[in-house]
């Protein structure tokens, strides 16, 4: 089987490719994929069960406390939430002012 007419590296590659048992490789790939999938599903189930137990035994309150502490820490360092709150109030005030102006136009 000499399709490349005198290019030895390509000839050697073609010879090696004809010796490969692709069915065996595919079977091994399927086995490895199924094993990896089983491990992933098992680990996800384990984490889900442990998380559900933690959440039911007071984890929700602990999570809220951590979130509150994190928010306070970020706000103390950057004033990000203060700025966000001020922006939200500003937008709300503008919307309310616009609504009053529309009411005045409709009433007139």
């Amino acid at each position: 089987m000499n399709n490349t007419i005198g290019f030895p590296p390509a000839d050697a590659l073609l010879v090696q490719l004809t010796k490969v048992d692709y069915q065996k490789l595919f079977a091994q790939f399927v086995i490895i994929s199924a094993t990896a999938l089983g491990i992933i599903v098992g680990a996800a189930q384990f984490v889900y069960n442990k998380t559900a137990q933690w959440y039911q035994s007071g984890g929700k309150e602990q999570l809220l406390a951590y979130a509150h502490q994190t928010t306070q820490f970020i706000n103390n360092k950057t004033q990000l939430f203060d700025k966000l709150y001020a922006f939200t109030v500003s937008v709300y005030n503008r919307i309310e002012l616009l609504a009053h102006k529309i009411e005045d136009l409709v009433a007139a």
Side-chain angles (χ1 to χ4, degrees), residues 81-93:
F81 297 106
D82 289 338
K83 293 173 186 173
L84 184 61
Y85 177 75
F87 176 73
T88 304
V89 169
S90 172
V91 169
Y92 176 78
N93 288 341

Side-chain angles (χ1 to χ4, degrees), residues 70-80 83:
T70 304
T71 302
Q72 285 182 329
F73 176 78
I74 292 171
N75 194 42
N76 289 339
K77 298 294 181 188
T78 64
Q79 285 78 38
L80 177 69
K83 293 173 186 173

Side-chain angles (χ1 to χ4, degrees):
M1 182 167 129
N2 192 353
N3 296 332
T4 58
I5 307 173
F7 187 60
D11 290 338
L13 177 64
L14 288 174
V15 168
Q16 293 302 317
L17 288 176
T18 59
K19 293 179 182 178
V20 174
D21 185 5
Y22 291 104
Q23 287 181 336
K24 181 180 175 185
L25 287 177
F26 181 72
Q28 290 175 346
F29 172 75
V30 168
I31 291 170
I32 290 172
S33 299
T35 303
L37 183 63
I39 291 170
I40 291 169
V41 168
Q45 186 68 34
F46 176 78
V47 169
Y48 174 79
N49 288 336
K50 289 298 179 185
T51 304
Q53 289 174 357
W54 173 78
Y55 187 81
Q56 290 173 354
S57 65
K60 179 180 179 182
E61 290 78 18
Q62 190 177 11
L63 187 63
L64 289 174
Y66 287 152
H68 183 69
Q69 290 173 354
T70 304
T71 302
Q72 285 182 329
F73 176 78
I74 292 171
N75 194 42
N76 289 339
K77 298 294 181 188
T78 64
Q79 285 78 38
L80 177 69
F81 297 106
D82 289 338
K83 293 173 186 173
L84 184 61
Y85 177 75
F87 176 73
T88 304
V89 169
S90 172
V91 169
Y92 176 78
N93 288 341
R94 290 179 186 171
I95 291 171
E96 191 173 352
L97 181 63
L98 180 63
H100 286 301
K101 287 183 178 181
I102 291 173
E103 284 179 1
D104 292 343
L105 286 173
V106 171

